[in-house]
Amino acid sequence: MSKASFFSHEALYGSGDGLVYEGDQLREIAFPLGGIGTGCISLSGRGSLVDWEIFNRPNKGSILPYAFFTMWAKKGDAAPVTRVLQSPPQTPFSGQGSSRFGGLGFGVQRGDGSGFPHMRTATFRGEFPLAEVGFCDPTMPVEVKLEAYSPFIPLNADDSGIPVAVLRYYVRNPSNETVQVSIVGNLTNPIGYGGTGEMSAHFGAKEGLGQNVNAYVVDKGLRSLSLTSEKVTPDQGNYGSMTLSTTWEEGFCQECWLRGSWYDMMHDFWDHFSESGSLPERHYEPSADGLTDVGSLGAQLTLGPGESAVVPFFVAWHFPVFTKYWGDIACACDSDERPTWKNYYASQWDSALDVARYYAANAERLYAETKRFHDTLFASSLPACVLDAVSSQASIIHSPTVLRLEDGTFYGFEGCHCDSGCCEGSCTHVWNYAQTVAFLFPGLERSLRDADYTHNLSDDGHMGFRLQLPIGADPWGFHAAADGQMGGILKVYRDWKLCGDDDWLRNLWPRVKKALEYAWVQWDESRDGVMEGIQHNTYDIEFHGPNTMMGTFYLGALRAGEEMARYLGDNAAAETYRRVFESGKARVEKELWNGEYYIQNVVSEEDDPKYQYGTGCLSDHMIGQWFAHLVGLGYLLEPDHVRSATKAIFDHNWLSDFWEHANPQRIYALNDEQGLLLCSWPNGGRPALPFVYSDEVWCGIEYQVASHLIYEGFVDEGLAVVKGVRARHDGVRRNPWNEFECGSHYSRSMASWSVLTALSGFSFDLPKGQIGFDPRLKDEVLHSFWSTNDAWGRFSQCAEGVRLEVAYGAQTLSRLALPQWAGKLSEAAIGGKDVGLSWDGDTAVFAESVTIAAGQTLTLS
Amino acid sequence: MSKASFFSHEALYGSGDGLVYEGDQLREIAFPLGGIGTGCISLSGRGSLVDWEIFNRPNKGSILPYAFFTMWAKKGDAAPVTRVLQSPPQTPFSGQGSSRFGGLGFGVQRGDGSGFPHMRTATFRGEFPLAEVGFCDPTMPVEVKLEAYSPFIPLNADDSGIPVAVLRYYVRNPSNETVQVSIVGNLTNPIGYGGTGEMSAHFGAKEGLGQNVNAYVVDKGLRSLSLTSEKVTPDQGNYGSMTLSTTWEEGFCQECWLRGSWYDMMHDFWDHFSESGSLPERHYEPSADGLTDVGSLGAQLTLGPGESAVVPFFVAWHFPVFTKYWGDIACACDSDERPTWKNYYASQWDSALDVARYYAANAERLYAETKRFHDTLFASSLPACVLDAVSSQASIIHSPTVLRLEDGTFYGFEGCHCDSGCCEGSCTHVWNYAQTVAFLFPGLERSLRDADYTHNLSDDGHMGFRLQLPIGADPWGFHAAADGQMGGILKVYRDWKLCGDDDWLRNLWPRVKKALEYAWVQWDESRDGVMEGIQHNTYDIEFHGPNTMMGTFYLGALRAGEEMARYLGDNAAAETYRRVFESGKARVEKELWNGEYYIQNVVSEEDDPKYQYGTGCLSDHMIGQWFAHLVGLGYLLEPDHVRSATKAIFDHNWLSDFWEHANPQRIYALNDEQGLLLCSWPNGGRPALPFVYSDEVWCGIEYQVASHLIYEGFVDEGLAVVKGVRARHDGVRRNPWNEFECGSHYSRSMASWSVLTALSGFSFDLPKGQIGFDPRLKDEVLHSFWSTNDAWGRFSQCAEGVRLEVAYGAQTLSRLALPQWAGKLSEAAIGGKDVGLSWDGDTAVFAESVTIAAGQTLTLS
């Protein structure tokens, strides 16, 4: 019996009823709201705003004091009820952190309004890119829920990169009487804040603050509390602006809270608002040095019996100057100042008010298109745990792990320290695993290739595995990463196949070729298709001697190289790559196959080098094969061996609990959790000091293996791995929207997208005008999301036929690969209009290429 | 029906079965282990060591990496089982804090061995000064529990001030086979660490570290891993030494863990110990600059079927140099270096090894006397919630809130920031509330009076309310605190009555008188017995105009002054004080009584001054009366009014939940908790900006009010308040051993001791050779702890008579005040030997003064 039966069939395959969290599960939730490369604010499980990471660096645990929303409602002549729109603070109540007069030993954080009456309970539905907090309070005369999001529209990177967090409050009057309702949001003016450390300006002045200006700005259809500074200048790193805005017309604005001492301003705010549902106007001159002001923006409405309304607020920000805060100061200008550049978003908007106006003018479309993506993805018959894995990790694209450089180039850290990126440079080996960007924003993914092959390649073909900034800086001279360098070739291949842009490939090809052939300089001088010598890799150490982790990457790169070379007419190269591939394959099978899986043959100039795996069963040891499946290159090694090896990874490395696991390394799974070890030694031979992460559990590897298991047909096992990861991120144990490894929002977890491509058996060959599906789920009816560089939508199959819906963009196709059974289908149509259809094996061939526009469906019946 | 019925009778009065925590309640537990003025290490609910606050300042959240204990057990020929002696880490698992490569986003803290197999569950029994962690693991062949403590022996301040934390592991073999057992503890050598910030020396070197030396030192009956540094010199603030020691003879020591990279040393430790139950010897030269070493000390034993053993380990430390790290640099030496002095404990021991040897030589006695105190206190029929409140807050005396200066003077912060005291100077107004030290270590309490009346009094009688250090520095010139200054007089009175040392009083009297009469300089020029004008106080603001918070302190001080003056023959002063008292009492009754309680008559030169309470019902408004009851001065105002006012505090200010409470201030009680507000306005009149803490809940005030309610006969109400406080400190919400206010281990909470004196109706007049009891609990059988400057023990009453047991010290008595019913008792005896007895009202009078030695009992039957 497979260990996969640890989970029930329902747990693995169930579609559930949405991804809903409640009670203790609200504790760890922080759901990122922001654009690509804009930083983000997170929505907590309680409905509060936490982790203000909008100041051009991560900022975990940061609180913008007094930034909370409060509702007042008065039913008929009854006394009004006022509630902060957050569920109760959760234990412990001792205070957190070590700030003076505010950390542990000073009680519950009060700046978020936790001392005021709040809603009694909340449930959190988190289906990225949409989050919904349903509040409940028996005394509140209206029902209220919050839907929060930021525009996330695959293929539209710019509209998915708006520095805005949207909070839509749904209010309904279930009673028979008219209810007056008022919702107020507050925001502290943080302009001048440096981006790290505490943001409090109440006790103790803060350098940078002062001359802060809060102003009420009313446009047609838009009211904003605008926050600026007269002190910080546009060349300074902390320059910027923010707004709290609403398109709700009736309401009020108090530009500044009472300037008093002690807790005066909180008293003044609550006493006025809870009495009247409004706040009087108050204008001050710019703030004194080191200090700032809080302001409030309110929306008022009257709801008759049974009436409801959506009251939208949004926070927009604009901090244009990105400072390279890490690494050595390296600036051509010979200055000791750190390099700076402009965020890409700052090239689109001039200020937060400009952002707010753009959002307001496009709000309806942006919400509709974001929701369309959500609905298309979730209108899937994929298991709930897979949708959870796929959607939640797409949030990394809205997290501070990613940047967009001034020219629009996409850039990624590996993950996030609490106050800085960790680690720099769109790391080639970590980003090998990440697939989400490639499938949702292929243009951004290609910009990673462009940057690497343009700026990060030395003359000999050595690619720095960390792109240096500012863009154009010299490549890093450390060892190339064997996995990162070879993975790059596979990524070029994938990105070309997803877009069909031959010019793009042709332009990169000479440098791609050089990067591939660097293997012969560094790792395979003999060109026998097997890497030897020092192979630096994603475990931050070097493997010595032949192994299939590097080996399959290398074989995959050779095959991808062969394909690309042949396509571009570089037949000599194609034949060479093929020859080296065949040689390598043969040697691997001969030297490394142990009858169940492939081992490492440790060969080194050192005696017994540290940090190897030798006879171990390495979870990543088939990684190149996974990538080959993903991009349609097929088997790199003996199929039976590959299947055995993939299954062996699950059998040996997946633990259904960790009680007996002795791990001296980092702890990512423990106690009663489930997870996949990086390595185990089922046949003995564990080195005294095996490679440094061998006893750990990494989500990104788990998704890679899960996807590969599914590609090989081990669906139960693959889903068990996925379920294990997500069960560890249940809101109690960890934040569902933060799978961390070496830091938060770790990019490797975007391997989760490959679980979707595996389950749907999605293939793509756009140079040929072809996509395809070969579902691994054996359900009669299957729906799955799909995407290319041109469009995204939903693929469905049932006994009667298949449907390819385009929800966004337009997809031009000549061919559609389908499972064998579909060969019986004889008619194709788009929007009722017949399309000529023939079959080439299992591939439907259209008489001429067809274009399916957004909203249209191609049916085969 | 009184709100006190919110709690069941059982909840209020039940004696329970020990103070036991389990499951989620283990989360917040941190139980201080250390001596008076030595700092402490805390024991977590899981059995791990946390909060290493031994480096002469608070250090919340600090971890000494690798300091954990592990047990190995091998039953017969079975495979050995190895477990870290901690229960499982509790959620969340995302990591905490913001340290690089170790904070949030890096998983569970691994330095405490959490990645290794650990015990499956634990229960924590916490009855200060003893803590017990009962571990359970189904695979472990022996039973194991941990008893942890540091010597705490009332009246013996020096032996209660040993810088040592003792961990006694009880091991029992319940099986029919012999079991080999090994327990190993590890300690990182931290000498050179600066006292704040991270202690990791693994990634990244630390200034201060280097030239660290770990040595195995074997004495007769004592084996120690000694940790020193050859780099830090005795004049430096970070100078010191530590040991991990055991009196268990068989065992091993590995002075240094493997010096390797990455996780090598943890691998090496676990692999060796889990295989063999031992670690090989390893000696290195002193550590390289910036680095240090970890060492291990093991104890090995063989347990036959049914056999058991106690394996004691202890950590001793010695950091002699205390640096005044706060405030302005003020040093007579004209240097810009911060003042330093020697900790008192450093005058008793020269090094940690010296401490360890002292502890080992006296371990049996120190444990027995500490346990005797525990057993005497807990062998009481007082309700469990009271024993909890009384014992848990005594732990403040072992916390970093308190210091002992070089000459032995006791000194207290108010509480603790995470890395510094908060706030300085044995604050007269906060320490007004604290009673525990006065009753358990009266000599230390008197040293506070000595310091204040010697160094902290200006010529005009103004007392700084924060004693300045180094001792002897000029008094602080800010407003005197009206409550602190008057409370001081009552404290002198109390301390004299508890010790009967007339010389002590006589010596202080001229300065006490001056301090009392400073009221006529500052607050009552008219000498009418009512304070007016600016009255700075414990709310960190000034009250204006007559009020009974200052008023009752003032009336109490006048009465105490009268009594002391009369005793010392200063009859003129006595008569003056009486006259002023009578005048004040009359005016208060006339001006401030509102028919239910006493209000403030706001009179100020300002119009409508901020931060007053006016018509409010202030929880502290009878505080001087409480103190008067405590010290036996009787009623200061009309008894009926006092009773009404005290009851009104409970009726108006005690909340059985906080759902509707709107608090813009600090949050110490919330949601479904119970607590006593500092103030409410039942008759309206709440100022727009009332005094700054008015909406808060302070444990220390709650105990003051609870005690006073009990003195007035409102026992249900008093216990409800106590139960409410302790229910908030249940291990889930807050740490039971950390009642915080303005910081952790807040000294005001030591008001809890007065709940014990109120319930037992303990009175003391040692100048007359008299103590007494008048229990408020109406049980037939009552047992209660009592203490004076000379002795402590247990008082019991039952239908047949009363018993006064002396458990420690020796009590000489001439008189014993008892409840009225006791007048029927006709025979007195000590150890079976009759004592002549007569009655003076309700007071038993002995023919000649008797001395009851430790272990003896005085019986009246």
Side-chain angles (χ1 to χ4, degrees), chain B residues 344-357:
Chain B
Y344 175 71
Y345 76 72
S347 69
Q348 298 178 280
W349 299 286
D350 291 334
S351 67
L353 209 47
D354 195 16
V355 173
R357 286 168 178 152

Side-chain angles (χ1 to χ4, degrees), chain B residues 306-382:
Chain B
E307 283 187 350
S308 62
V310 182
V311 183
F313 284 90
F314 51 96
V315 178
W317 61 92
H318 192 269
F319 295 97
V321 185
F322 194 100
T323 303
K324 187 189 172 193
Y325 54 78
W326 66 92
D328 294 333
I329 294 167
C331 179
C333 55
D334 224 20
S335 141
D336 63 352
E337 293 203 352
R338 291 200 162 269
T340 64
W341 56 87
K342 210 183 228 191
N343 285 314
Y344 175 71
Y345 76 72
S347 69
Q348 298 178 280
W349 299 286
D350 291 334
S351 67
L353 209 47
D354 195 16
V355 173
R357 286 168 178 152
Y358 179 83
Y359 177 77
N362 295 276
E364 207 173 322
R365 175 181 62 81
L366 294 166
Y367 176 72
E369 291 180 352
T370 300
K371 188 153 170 33
R372 198 189 309 160
F373 167 63
H374 166 273
D375 292 352
T376 306
L377 177 61
F378 280 87
S380 157
S381 53
L382 300 186

Side-chain angles (χ1 to χ4, degrees), chain B residues 367-489:
Chain B
Y367 176 72
E369 291 180 352
T370 300
K371 188 153 170 33
R372 198 189 309 160
F373 167 63
H374 166 273
D375 292 352
T376 306
L377 177 61
F378 280 87
S380 157
S381 53
L382 300 186
C385 65
V386 172
L387 289 173
D388 185 23
V390 160
S391 66
S392 64
Q393 299 318 297
S395 72
I396 296 167
I397 305 175
H398 270 180
S399 83
T401 291
V402 313
L403 308 180
R404 285 190 79 181
L405 307 177
E406 192 154 348
D407 66 356
T409 295
F410 185 80
Y411 175 95
F413 293 99
E414 296 178 18
C416 299
H417 284 297
C418 286
D419 63 0
S420 59
C422 170
C423 300
E424 65 165 325
S426 306
C427 175
T428 59
H429 55 68
V430 173
W431 281 80
N432 267 344
Y433 296 72
Q435 300 297 335
T436 312
V437 180
F439 284 90
L440 297 184
F441 298 97
L444 293 185
E445 182 74 29
R446 289 197 300 280
S447 77
L448 283 167
R449 301 294 89 69
D450 292 336
D452 265 343
Y453 289 94
T454 306
H455 303 295
N456 205 11
L457 206 65
S458 303
D459 289 343
D460 63 354
H462 169 289
M463 182 179 281
F465 64 82
R466 300 193 185 283
L467 179 73
Q468 299 298 292
L469 293 185
I471 200 156
D474 288 341
W476 191 35
F478 189 70
H479 293 302
D483 47 354
Q485 179 112 7
M486 294 299 106
I489 313 301

Side-chain angles (χ1 to χ4, degrees), chain B residues 619-620 646 649 676 700-710 721:
Chain B
S619 280
D620 266 340
T646 308
I649 293 168
L676 186 80
I701 292 181
E702 291 179 288
Y703 289 131
Q704 182 269 108
V705 169
S707 167
H708 193 185
L709 280 162
I710 292 165
V721 173

Side-chain angles (χ1 to χ4, degrees), chain A residues 98 100, chain B residues 53 57-60 195-197 325 416-421:
Chain A
S98 58
R100 289 175 77 83
Chain B
E53 309 183 277
R57 54 197 301 174
N59 204 358
K60 291 290 171 221
T196 58
Y325 54 78
C416 299
H417 284 297
C418 286
D419 63 0
S420 59

Side-chain angles (χ1 to χ4, degrees), chain A residues 416-437:
Chain A
C416 299
H417 282 297
C418 285
D419 63 0
S420 59
C422 170
C423 298
E424 66 165 323
S426 306
C427 176
T428 59
H429 55 69
V430 173
W431 281 81
N432 267 346
Y433 297 72
Q435 300 296 336
T436 312
V437 179

